[in-house]
Amino acid sequence: MGIGLAVLLLVWASAARADKIILKNGRQIVAYNVTEDGDKVRYETSAGQLSIPKSIVDHIERGGMGPISESPAAAAAKLNLSPPPMEATANAAEIDQAAVHDGAIDRDYIARMEGEARTGNAKSNEKAALAHHAAAQFELAHGDLEHALSDERTAITYLPDQPVLLMNVAYLYLKKSEFKQSVEYLEKAKRFSPDNGDIYKLEGWAYYGMNRPDQAVMEWKKSLSLKPDSETQAALDKALRDKEEEENYKENESPHFQLKYNGTAQPVLAREVLRVLEMHFSAIESELNYTPPESIGVVLYTQQSFADITRAPGWVGALNDGRIRVPVQGLTGVNAELSRVLKHELTHSFIQQKTRGRAPTWIQEGVAQWMEGKRSDENAAALVQIYDGGEAAPLNHMEGSWMGLPSDVARYAYAWSLANIEYIVESDGMSDVQRILDRISAGSLTEDALKEVLHEDYGDLMRSTDEYLKKNYTH
Ligand SMILES: [Zn+2]
């Protein structure tokens, strides 16, 4: 394992600001604190400060590697859609203020508007719809998707032909990773507003989430023909890269999986992979007491096409961005290593679907490693040393994507995440992990979920994990 302690922590502190240096020969360097200094470009890596001649640098991309491994659900959650203005005859701003004021929703006001709407007057119906819409927007802004959806759907009962309301419902379903419902509402919205690019943009994401990239590509192309949008363009480019690669792929499926594999891989390997995946599916299903409703996409790659398509950093062996992507170069059957990798990535799919993309990376990676059979023995001494030296990175720094991390920092993050989950499972069983995931799924912040289930905040959890490691692995 060999974690370089001092250097590691130095890099860790600035990990959030990972930059990417793109060289003229196409090579990329992920680095920290990239500065231009005369005819040199200086940067920090885990090996210390380095410099290269500016003449070989094409450009520098600031702020990390982007959402390479982001799932469709997570990507949809970040969509920045500004709905077109509603053609309201009533005074929309006035209703907004009456429905939501002093940091709360005025349910009495909304009830009055609903009472007036019972007269069947068109204007009253519109007021009731706008009042519920305002409430939904407020709830959405506070992360309360369930109530936002409920209010927005009630709004539609008063104004069933309003595309903006239909789009808002579709958007909320998308955020909840309920893709079929999202498509249903977007199709309705199209009937009333066939030239609105945002509808096609959202529908592209919904199909992408349903693992139907062909349909997603069609929707995004249509969206771009109506309205230029850099997010949609980036999503389309990625989907087209996937599609181009996968066109020569063969397909196979089993009850819970849709598998694609390159023509050079053996059909017997594909069948074997599906058999092993189904076996792991049953095991994880009973450990987490959960069955993912959506079928899970799996793609087997040769090594080179994996790197080309995923654009992941070199330390990534396999990944899960909504589909399980695994390089299988040279394999003719499933060996122990591949079986472990499959179980690890499959665990991510379970947690992804169970929490609708809300689980932080440290829980994802901790549980995935636990499931694949890893334990903390080889890392315990190094982790204890880091923690006791007061230099452990806090857990809230491990919630977001790790894709921009240098390999040694990533190793540390993996080791610490496993140790936390191992401590939780060994102390009180997998049921605690289930309960934490349930709360995250219901919208709790991770640290609040820990407080409710373990009665520990992040600091307490790290201390307990440190004690656990000392007790079980060091003398
Ligand atoms: Zn993982």
Side-chain angles (χ1 to χ4, degrees):
M1 175 95 204
I3 300 172
L5 298 183
V7 206
L8 168 77
L9 297 159
L10 208 148
V11 176
W12 182 265
S14 56
R17 298 192 306 274
D19 297 328
K20 193 158 58 168
I21 306 170
I22 317 289
L23 303 184
K24 285 180 178 157
N25 67 8
R27 235 192 95 213
Q28 303 180 351
I29 302 168
V30 177
Y32 300 92
N33 300 328
V34 178
T35 53
E36 297 179 38
D37 181 6
D39 58 355
K40 296 242 186 311
V41 171
R42 297 188 191 282
Y43 59 95
E44 282 172 19
T45 70
S46 52
Q49 204 189 56
L50 299 175
S51 70
I52 46 176
K54 209 187 225 171
S55 57
I56 66 166
V57 173
D58 186 66
H59 65 282
I60 296 162
E61 284 174 15
R62 299 288 175 182
M65 312 239 331
I68 298 167
S69 76
E70 206 167 47
S71 69
K78 283 186 190 156
L79 272 182
N80 204 357
L81 175 81
S82 35
M86 310 234 291
E87 286 178 26
T89 49
N91 190 334
E94 203 175 284
I95 293 169
D96 254 20
Q97 279 174 9
V100 179
H101 53 86
D102 304 316
I105 297 167
D106 188 339
R107 289 287 167 195
D108 291 341
Y109 171 79
I110 294 177
R112 275 204 308 283
M113 293 301 104
E114 291 194 295
E116 286 177 22
R118 276 186 212 112
T119 62
N121 173 313
K123 204 160 182 172
S124 304
N125 273 320
E126 184 171 288
K127 280 186 183 171
L130 288 174
H132 276 287
H133 175 65
Q137 295 300 305
F138 177 81
E139 285 152 342
L140 174 62
H142 289 80
D144 184 353
L145 289 177
E146 296 300 333
H147 287 105
L149 184 59
S150 158
D151 267 306
E152 206 71 77
R153 288 185 55 175
T154 309
I156 286 179
T157 63
Y158 293 103
L159 273 189
D161 301 351
Q162 173 50 256
V164 178
L165 297 181
L166 293 167
M167 285 167 69
N168 271 282
V169 171
Y171 177 73
L172 290 165
Y173 274 124
L174 196 52
K175 287 202 119 180
K176 284 162 58 66
S177 300
E178 292 175 33
F179 304 118
K180 281 174 204 154
Q181 289 87 337
S182 185
V183 166
E184 202 177 293
Y185 280 89
L186 290 165
E187 287 294 323
K188 273 184 209 160
K190 274 183 190 171
R191 275 183 243 145
F192 303 109
S193 186
D195 295 328
N196 184 331
D198 284 333
I199 298 177
Y200 299 88
K201 174 181 181 176
L202 287 176
E203 198 160 332
W205 281 108
Y207 280 120
Y208 192 70
M210 286 159 78
N211 206 1
R212 288 167 60 181
D214 286 352
Q215 200 73 29
V217 162
M218 275 172 54
E219 298 293 334
W220 283 332
K221 279 185 174 165
K222 174 78 179 169
S223 173
L224 288 167
S225 76
L226 293 164
K227 177 189 165 195
D229 181 299
S230 60
E231 276 182 350
T232 305
Q233 188 67 55
L236 175 64
D237 290 347
K238 182 178 185 295
L240 286 174
R241 276 204 305 275
D242 276 5
K243 215 164 96 73
E244 192 186 337
E245 169 71 19
E246 287 170 18
E247 236 131 55
N248 317 314
Y249 277 41
K250 296 176 199 147
E251 288 189 52
N252 208 337
E253 60 178 32
S254 67
H256 300 107
F257 298 95
Q258 291 177 314
L259 178 81
K260 289 192 170 192
Y261 62 100
N262 192 292
T264 61
Q266 300 292 321
V268 57
L269 173 65
R271 280 198 299 275
E272 184 74 358
V273 164
L274 282 175
R275 191 186 62 76
V276 170
L277 279 170
E278 288 292 349
M279 184 182 80
H280 290 327
F281 189 100
S282 306
I284 301 169
E285 188 179 35
S286 63
E287 285 269 37
L288 293 181
N289 191 23
Y290 172 75
T291 307
E294 312 267 349
S295 116
I296 296 166
V298 184
V299 191
L300 306 182
Y301 292 97
T302 61
Q303 208 74 39
Q304 189 52 49
S305 57
F306 178 78
D308 290 346
I309 296 289
T310 62
R311 311 255 165 115
W315 52 264
V316 173
L319 63 80
N320 188 324
D321 62 357
R323 287 197 276 184
I324 296 174
R325 300 174 186 269
V326 193
V328 293
Q329 182 108 320
L331 290 178
T332 50
V334 178
N335 59 18
E337 171 68 17
L338 178 56
S339 173
R340 275 205 357 242
V341 167
L342 292 171
K343 194 167 187 186
H344 178 110
E345 298 303 332
L346 180 55
T347 306
H348 286 321
S349 298
F350 271 73
I351 298 176
Q352 169 71 27
Q353 289 200 32
K354 185 173 165 85
T355 64
R356 300 167 185 145
R358 293 198 190 104
T361 306
W362 74 264
I363 287 191
Q364 273 280 17
E365 296 303 345
V367 178
Q369 290 177 90
W370 169 270
M371 290 291 182
E372 69 163 291
K374 277 210 173 104
R375 296 297 179 267
S376 295
D377 40 7
E378 57 177 321
N379 303 320
L383 292 175
V384 164
Q385 195 183 337
I386 292 174
Y387 183 83
D388 290 356
E391 291 170 321
L395 279 172
N396 53 5
H397 288 195
M398 295 190 213
E399 289 189 343
S401 171
W402 296 357
M403 279 303 194
L405 299 182
S407 58
D408 54 353
V409 179
R411 273 203 297 278
Y412 165 76
Y414 276 99
W416 193 245
S417 299
L418 171 61
N420 285 323
I421 295 297
E422 185 178 326
Y423 152 70
I424 294 170
V425 175
E426 291 294 351
S427 308
D428 213 19
M430 190 55 83
S431 59
D432 275 357
V433 174
Q434 289 172 16
R435 281 199 289 278
I436 291 166
L437 293 175
D438 286 341
R439 279 174 173 72
I440 292 172
S441 166
S444 283
L445 296 175
T446 303
E447 194 168 8
D448 292 342
L450 294 179
K451 284 182 205 158
E452 286 169 43
V453 175
L454 306 175
H455 310 290
E456 293 188 309
D457 63 16
Y458 269 162
D460 300 330
L461 175 59
M462 292 186 69
R463 194 174 322 110
S464 301
T465 298
D466 177 62
E467 282 163 14
Y468 165 84
L469 292 173
K470 280 180 184 148
K471 202 172 128 213
N472 289 280
Y473 293 111
T474 63
H475 306 281

